Amino acid sequence: MRIDDAAFPMEMITGVPVITTPEEIDITNAPGLGKALADAAASGNGTLVVDMSRTQFCDTAGIHALVAAHRRAVASGGRLLLVTAAIAVLRIFAITGLDQVIASFASLKEALASASSGA
């Protein structure tokens, strides 16, 4: 199976890399997410936003990719910020404790405001 980098498009918004995720993140595409996050981190100031507003499912492989990106961001003085809306995704983040480690926002606008304020 070919990992499609286009599944995780990146755009710069007010100087912050924003990665958009698909409806599902699982073992089949999590390596692509990890690569997209590493590439985005290299192109910004250390802080990046993952727009998961369309994502309805995220398994442990996706969580591992997000945690690795979070660690890289923190090590470079930045942050990883998530935009999450789906109840199932919010629930798995709460069960795993990820919601206590990585900041999550209800909208891209809120995440970008936090990124620009440094809060």
Side-chain angles (χ1 to χ4, degrees), residues 16-103:
V16 178
V18 177
I19 297 289
T20 303
T21 59
E23 285 187 28
E24 295 188 1
I25 302 170
D26 59 27
I27 190 82
T28 64
N29 63 3
L33 173 60
K35 181 181 180 322
L37 291 169
D39 291 349
S43 68
N45 63 1
T47 293
L48 60 139
V49 173
V50 182
D51 183 354
M52 300 179 72
S53 57
R54 294 182 325 141
T55 304
Q56 300 297 311
F57 175 80
C58 182
D59 75 1
T60 56
I63 290 171
H64 285 286
L66 293 171
V67 169
H70 166 73
R71 288 181 178 154
R72 280 192 306 271
V74 170
S76 68
R79 298 180 299 145
L80 179 70
L81 307 173
L82 306 177
V83 178
T84 53
I87 298 296
V89 174
L90 292 167
R91 183 168 184 251
I92 195 68
F93 287 177
I95 289 169
T96 61
L98 192 65
D99 63 337
Q100 301 298 309
V101 177
I102 302 175

Side-chain angles (χ1 to χ4, degrees), residues 49 79 81-83 105 107-116:
V49 173
R79 298 180 299 145
L81 307 173
L82 306 177
V83 178
F105 300 87
S107 73
L108 180 57
K109 183 178 178 180
E110 290 176 48
L112 290 169
S114 178
S116 64

